[in-house]
Amino acid sequence: MTGTKMNDRSMWMGSLAAPLRAFLRTESGSAGVLVAAIVAALVWANVDLSSYEAVWRTQLSLRLGPLELSRDLHTWINSGLMTLFFLVVGLEARREFDLGDLRDRRRFVLPSVAGVIGMLIPVLIFLVINHGGPGAHGWGVAMSTDTALALGLLALLGRGVPDRVRIFLLTVFVVDDLIALVVIALVYSDDIKMMPIVVAVAAFAIMLAIRAAGIRRDSAYVPVAVVMWGALLVSGVDPVVAGLAIGLTAFAYSPGRAELEQLSGIFRSFREQPTPRLARTASLGLANTLSPNDRLQRIYHPWSSYVIVPLFGLANAGISIDGPFLSRAFTSPVTWGVLLGYVVGKPLAVIGTSAVLTWLSHGRIRPAVGWAGVLGSGTIAGVSFTVSLLVASLAFTGDQLAEAKVGVFGAAIVSSALTWIAFRVTNMLPHDRRIRALFGDVTELIDLIPEVDEKYDHVRGPAGASVTLVQYGDFQCPYCGTAEPVVRQLLGHADLRFVWRHLPLSDIHPQARLAAEAAEAAGAQGKFWQMHDLLLDHQDKLNITDLIEYAVDLGLDQERFQDDLISQTHAERIESDIESADRSGVSGTPTFFINGRRHYGAYDITTLTEAIRMARARARLGREAPTIGG
């Protein structure tokens, strides 16, 4: 990777979009569960407020000899289970730095500034409205977007909104979540005790030392994490900070091909001798190929999205609503401070910051999306819930707490409506204008290393095509065989060129390497693609006799073909493609890249056609606008 530029190359050995799309799907699905929990809380509180409050005041105690920790159910949820929610927030922030667009640190400038300004302006609006009043100390209620709920609602409201817009929203409010936790720890924590904080810091240091020692068993970390959480709870600092700290230190990366090949050897040993010891070794080896970040995400993210956050909503969203209360609430400065802070302050901050930084930097720093993406991100940023209600429960009691909740709910409703209008108007634009409005003209980071070279790569299709589809493939891989009819159908597009690069998975496909060399030997005689097609059509017949038969059928010089295979004349070419796969973060087949960006998910005709259509539209925008960041 030496010599590549951060603005046009992915300096990473992992992947982004697959886990990110999984993250977005989880948030989208959990949005409905959370909304249902909020509605249930409101119905419960208005049917029987006393029973609603009594349930959450139920005391739960943990006792170990003379040591006892007793809190009500509401506290166990807000300061206990929510620690796991902020663990997931920290994990996602770390993944963005390790694998996301923020791996190019220059791209962190606009999201970080927008995140900070996106908290300051709503807080200032709240303080102006509540200046000198009894609710002024609750300014923290108006600062934080609920990123998870915002992403979920965006998926529901913005039909057809590309992942790139969701990614922009996510990166902007990574900063939002981090600062919100700092504010909770410093401003809304009472009676700070230093000795428990020292214990918490020591526990965190032990946790880092365990990780540095290469220990990956979860059982080694859990007791230390519990001590850290308990010490923070006793110290007066909200212990949810523990989750964030642990999440931020969990590295994110994708398993390398060498690790997977070693794991294949373990599985072969187990297949030959299926003993409990080898079964355990294979199981641990499989788990250890995943990064700490990925393992924790897979464990806690579904629980956080589908259980913890909805339970938090059920425990915190209940307020008794009637005519007199609503009249008081909508004349309360607390309600209006929260409502206007989010509905006005958040869009103003996101849109204003994006415009000012683009202007000041002469376009070198700009949003990764178009104006519609910025507008929609700004309006949906007015959706708050989790952190806002957490701060409200720390800052207010009684009527003021209920008024703050009304402001939070009202802001979510108004912001959702504004977002729907923004994307509804965008979808009514002509196709090219809509694509520009959503995507903008910022050059995307390129995942493919090195880029396609017409003189070196095997290329099908016109040289001037606006879309290039690259496949890393293995001639014996059944999934490559499944993908081949789709690729041939796509090649009917006049504006598409296709590139094949070799990635023979010799540890599981013993004939794949020889088949790749046979394709190169045929290519040396001008028949690469003809041999390529034969090999994929006859994946179950790839021994040396079969390959020679194919050479005869293609009219190749048989003696030269056999000499090339025996002497491994083209082995260096195969190794070059394998090295390219390693540098591009590819460890399995088939793996596709569209205009240099890795394609994740399904490779059926519908999915690939849509991805190619979007790539063609972005390529057209790139020709119309100057390249930024290069």
Side-chain angles (χ1 to χ4, degrees):
M1 286 183 280
T2 304
T4 58
K5 296 181 180 179
M6 283 294 288
N7 65 297
D8 62 1
R9 285 288 183 269
S10 300
M11 304 294 288
W12 55 302
M13 297 301 293
S15 62
L16 161 68
L20 181 56
R21 287 193 175 112
F23 177 87
L24 294 174
R25 284 196 299 272
T26 303
E27 298 307 336
S28 301
S30 66
V33 181
L34 177 55
V35 170
I38 294 171
V39 172
L42 291 172
V43 171
W44 184 3
N46 283 274
V47 170
D48 189 352
L49 181 62
S50 60
S51 71
Y52 177 83
E53 293 177 343
V55 166
W56 307 119
R57 286 198 301 265
T58 302
Q59 291 291 312
L60 293 178
S61 301
L62 294 177
R63 179 177 295 174
L64 181 62
L67 301 177
E68 182 180 8
L69 183 61
S70 181
R71 295 290 190 275
D72 61 28
L73 184 57
H74 188 268
T75 301
W76 281 111
I77 292 172
N78 285 19
S79 296
L81 293 181
M82 287 302 290
T83 302
L84 299 179
F85 167 79
F86 285 106
L87 168 66
V88 173
V89 171
L91 292 171
E92 184 55 33
R94 182 60 193 240
R95 189 172 63 191
E96 279 299 302
F97 275 97
D98 289 346
L99 301 179
D101 277 355
L102 299 185
R103 65 189 184 270
D104 180 350
R105 298 301 186 241
R106 291 175 301 175
R107 298 200 174 194
F108 185 58
V109 174
L110 190 146
S112 61
V113 175
V116 173
I117 300 300
M119 302 181 81
L120 288 177
I121 292 181
V123 166
L124 289 174
I125 291 175
F126 181 91
L127 288 174
V128 167
I129 295 174
N130 287 271
H131 178 66
H137 68 286
W139 54 267
V141 180
M143 64 183 177
S144 183
T145 295
D146 190 319
T147 310
L149 182 57
L151 285 171
L153 290 174
L154 187 63
L156 297 174
L157 298 168
R159 298 294 183 183
V161 175
D163 284 338
R164 187 166 170 178
V165 174
R166 298 182 177 93
I167 293 169
F168 175 72
L169 175 69
L170 183 64
T171 55
V172 167
F173 292 106
V174 162
V175 175
D176 183 302
D177 290 328
L178 301 184
I179 296 177
L181 264 292
V182 173
V183 170
I184 290 173
L186 298 180
V187 179
Y188 295 103
S189 297
D190 300 323
D191 301 325
I192 305 298
K193 301 179 181 66
M194 290 307 301
M195 184 52 67
I197 291 180
V198 172
V199 173
V201 172
F204 186 57
I206 292 172
M207 189 178 300
L208 295 179
I210 294 173
R211 190 188 67 189
I215 298 174
R216 296 191 176 189
R217 293 191 303 273
D218 293 340
S219 59
Y221 294 88
V222 172
V224 184
V226 170
V227 169
M228 180 181 174
W229 178 87
L232 287 174
L233 181 66
V234 174
S235 75
V237 174
D238 197 302
V240 295
V241 175
L244 182 70
I246 295 170
L248 287 173
T249 58
F251 296 120
Y253 54 81
S254 288
R257 187 173 51 82
E259 293 178 278
L260 297 177
E261 288 179 351
Q262 182 180 10
L263 187 61
S264 295
I266 296 174
F267 273 105
R268 280 199 302 272
S269 299
F270 174 73
R271 177 67 180 86
E272 295 166 356
Q273 191 179 18
T275 64
R277 183 182 64 82
L278 284 176
R280 177 173 173 77
T281 301
S283 178
L284 289 175
L286 186 63
N288 288 340
T289 59
L290 300 175
S291 71
N293 189 288
D294 198 22
R295 290 203 307 274
L296 290 172
Q297 281 270 20
R298 291 175 186 274
I299 295 171
Y300 294 111
H301 191 196
W303 282 99
S304 171
S305 297
Y306 286 98
V307 178
I308 294 173
V309 173
L311 187 58
F312 173 86
L314 185 63
N316 288 271
I319 52 175
S320 180
I321 300 174
D322 55 29
F325 168 74
L326 288 178
S327 297
R328 291 195 309 273
F330 281 104
T331 58
S332 166
V334 171
T335 299
W336 282 107
V338 174
L339 180 62
L340 294 180
Y342 282 112
V343 173
V344 176
K346 287 290 187 179
L348 181 63
V350 174
I351 297 168
T353 301
S354 300
V356 170
L357 283 181
T358 301
W359 176 69
L360 289 177
S361 67
H362 302 289
R364 289 188 297 273
I365 298 174
R366 62 170 58 193
V369 294
W371 64 264
V374 173
L375 176 61
S377 297
T379 54
I380 200 66
V383 172
S384 65
F385 184 74
T386 310
V387 176
S388 297
L389 293 192
L390 186 60
V391 173
S393 67
L394 297 172
F396 296 128
T397 58
D399 289 344
Q400 283 189 327
L401 176 58
E403 292 161 3
K405 290 180 180 181
V406 171
V408 169
F409 296 154
I413 294 171
V414 175
S415 297
S416 298
L418 292 175
T419 302
W420 180 84
I421 292 171
F423 286 115
R424 178 67 175 173
V425 171
T426 302
N427 287 334
M428 295 171 64
L429 297 174
H431 180 264
D432 286 354
R433 291 183 62 189
R434 176 163 55 88
I435 294 299
R436 178 178 291 280
L438 290 172
F439 285 96
D441 55 11
V442 173
T443 301
E444 290 188 302
L445 294 178
I446 300 301
D447 303 325
L448 182 67
I449 302 173
E451 64 186 16
V452 173
D453 184 346
E454 288 271 358
K455 297 180 179 178
Y456 180 79
D457 280 301
H458 299 293
V459 181
R460 258 179 171 168
S466 65
V467 178
T468 298
L469 178 66
V470 176
Q471 178 184 352
Y472 284 90
D474 172 318
F475 288 115
Q476 201 177 357
C477 168
Y479 301 105
C480 293
T482 301
E484 179 60 15
V486 176
V487 172
R488 293 180 186 179
Q489 189 173 346
L490 289 171
L491 284 171
H493 295 202
D495 192 28
L496 174 73
R497 63 175 181 169
F498 174 68
V499 176
W500 172 278
R501 288 183 179 177
H502 302 286
L503 183 58
L505 305 179
S506 302
D507 54 319
I508 54 176
H509 300 143
Q511 295 174 322
R513 179 65 181 247
L514 183 62
E517 293 189 21
E520 289 300 325
Q525 299 185 45
K527 296 290 183 68
F528 174 85
W529 288 111
Q530 292 88 332
M531 180 63 79
H532 164 277
D533 294 346
L534 278 174
L535 295 174
L536 287 173
D537 286 340
H538 301 86
Q539 290 187 300
D540 57 338
K541 297 180 179 180
L542 297 178
N543 59 42
I544 185 66
T545 304
D546 296 321
L547 298 178
I548 292 174
E549 182 179 329
Y550 301 150
V552 173
D553 291 343
L554 293 176
L556 301 180
D557 182 329
Q558 185 176 340
E559 183 177 351
R560 179 184 171 187
F561 180 82
Q562 291 183 17
D563 287 344
D564 282 354
L565 293 185
I566 293 171
S567 62
Q568 296 185 310
T569 302
H570 304 287
E572 185 177 346
R573 168 58 190 264
I574 309 300
E575 289 299 326
S576 176
D577 280 1
I578 293 173
E579 180 185 356
S580 167
D582 288 342
R583 295 173 67 190
S584 302
V586 178
S587 55
T589 57
T591 298
F592 292 95
F593 291 77
I594 301 175
N595 280 357
R597 288 287 283 184
R598 185 166 174 173
H599 170 77
Y600 293 90
Y603 42 85
D604 58 276
I605 187 64
T606 302
T607 304
L608 280 176
T609 297
E610 176 61 19
I612 288 169
R613 186 182 68 82
M614 298 304 294
R616 184 173 292 118
R618 290 196 296 270
R620 186 160 55 245
L621 292 179
R623 289 195 298 267
E624 296 171 359
T627 300
I628 303 299

